Amino acid sequence: AHRAREHAHRLVALVVAVLTWLAGSTIAIVPALVYDLIDQKVMLTDAAAIQNHLNTMQTHVTPAVFLANNVSIILMIPAAWLGLIIFGQRPRWLSSITGRLRWKWMFTLMGLMLIPYLAMQVFDALGGAYSGLTWRPYSLFMILAVIITTPLQCVGEEYGTRGLINRLLGSYGSARVSFWIGAVGSSLVFMWLHAATDPYLNAFYFTFGMVACWMAWRTGGLEASIAMHVVNNVLAMATLPFSDFSGIFNRDAGS
């Protein structure tokens, strides 16, 4: 009976966290979609036109939708906190075994991870990957959106997947197998959330999740995975303000 109550407790914590996040995401994304419909002069009374616009969103991402998407992912942080409270622990224990985020440790790791990532950026630049970049009408908006919200978006994904889901799933197994249950399960969720149909992208997302879980396990906190995630995403998005990023969410096979 005690074990059954524990299982029910975990399930309730996960369901409430997910529903809370979905509600928050809806509140964040709907205004951006409405803004885009108005901006594109789509009649809000024309259901077919609205549906057609939504069907092409994947390849017609706008600055408003980009920002709303980041904000929706940031909302994973309070949702994960709520889930952990229901699970029976204080939210601060999601950060690390010290009950807090170890800021100095995190920024030290971030600096170290910048070295190989910047080397890759230089390699890309020498290969001509950044040719054609130019100032655009949305450049200033996107610079601020990337700088302010992208790091928090990374934190949100880490708290939601490597923090709460990894923790809840890992609690089902013994000490010997708990890491694998939590890591594989949360990495599959992380991969699924990116909605890719390209096998290479799915392999990347799953591997990224497994490495992040290993980092959290070996260091006793989310600082290392947050550092890797922030460096990866911010540098990957550094050129967005100066390019056509409308297809950034296109993750179909071959994309």
Side-chain angles (χ1 to χ4, degrees):
H2 177 68
R3 182 169 295 180
R5 285 196 298 271
E6 286 184 342
H7 291 339
H9 215 186
R10 296 185 188 100
L11 182 60
V12 170
L14 183 59
V15 169
V16 170
V18 169
L19 291 178
T20 300
W21 175 61
L22 288 175
S25 296
T26 302
I27 294 172
I29 291 175
V30 167
L33 294 178
V34 172
Y35 171 82
D36 273 353
L37 289 170
I38 295 173
D39 185 59
Q40 297 297 318
K41 296 180 173 56
V42 177
M43 294 294 294
L44 298 182
T45 56
D46 189 340
I50 292 174
Q51 186 60 51
N52 182 63
H53 179 79
L54 295 178
N55 289 339
T56 61
M57 286 299 298
Q58 188 183 46
T59 54
H60 292 81
V61 178
T62 64
V65 170
F66 174 86
L67 177 61
N69 179 72
N70 270 7
V71 171
S72 72
I73 297 174
I74 292 170
L75 294 175
M76 282 188 179
I77 301 173
W81 285 342
L82 178 59
L84 196 65
I85 291 172
I86 295 172
F87 184 55
Q89 294 183 359
R90 294 182 180 180
R92 64 193 186 96
W93 294 109
L94 269 183
S95 299
S96 75
I97 55 175
T98 65
R100 60 181 178 84
L101 206 59
R102 295 165 292 184
W103 293 94
K104 183 178 180 181
W105 167 239
M106 184 175 69
F107 284 118
T108 298
L109 291 173
M110 208 173 288
L112 291 172
M113 290 178 188
L114 270 172
I115 298 172
Y117 271 93
L118 286 174
M120 287 190 288
Q121 298 291 97
V122 171
F123 182 80
D124 285 345
L126 293 176
Y130 301 140
S131 60
L133 298 181
T134 184
W135 187 265
R136 296 171 184 265
Y138 51 72
S139 291
L140 180 58
F141 178 89
M142 286 297 296
I143 289 171
L144 294 175
V146 170
I147 291 175
I148 296 173
T149 66
T150 295
L152 291 173
Q153 168 249 319
C154 299
V155 175
E157 290 189 14
E158 292 306 315
Y159 271 81
T161 55
R162 256 67 71 183
L164 184 68
I165 295 176
N166 181 31
R167 192 186 200 91
L168 292 179
L169 294 180
S171 66
Y172 277 99
S174 64
R176 180 173 298 180
V177 299
S178 61
F179 166 76
W180 294 105
I181 295 174
V184 172
S186 62
S187 296
L188 286 172
V189 171
F190 181 70
M191 180 185 74
W192 175 76
L193 285 172
H194 285 83
T197 57
D198 185 277
Y200 298 102
L201 282 176
N202 279 323
F204 168 74
Y205 293 131
F206 180 78
T207 304
F208 190 100
M210 290 295 293
V211 171
C213 285
W214 179 80
M215 285 179 166
W217 174 55
R218 294 299 296 172
T219 63
L222 297 179
E223 297 91 352
S225 60
I226 288 174
M228 177 176 70
H229 209 150
V230 169
V231 170
N232 179 81
N233 283 28
V234 171
L235 289 184
M237 296 178 183
T239 61
L240 297 189
F242 316 103
S243 61
D244 177 10
F245 63 90
S246 57
I248 189 175
F249 292 154
N250 179 18
R251 295 163 182 156
D252 292 339
S255 61

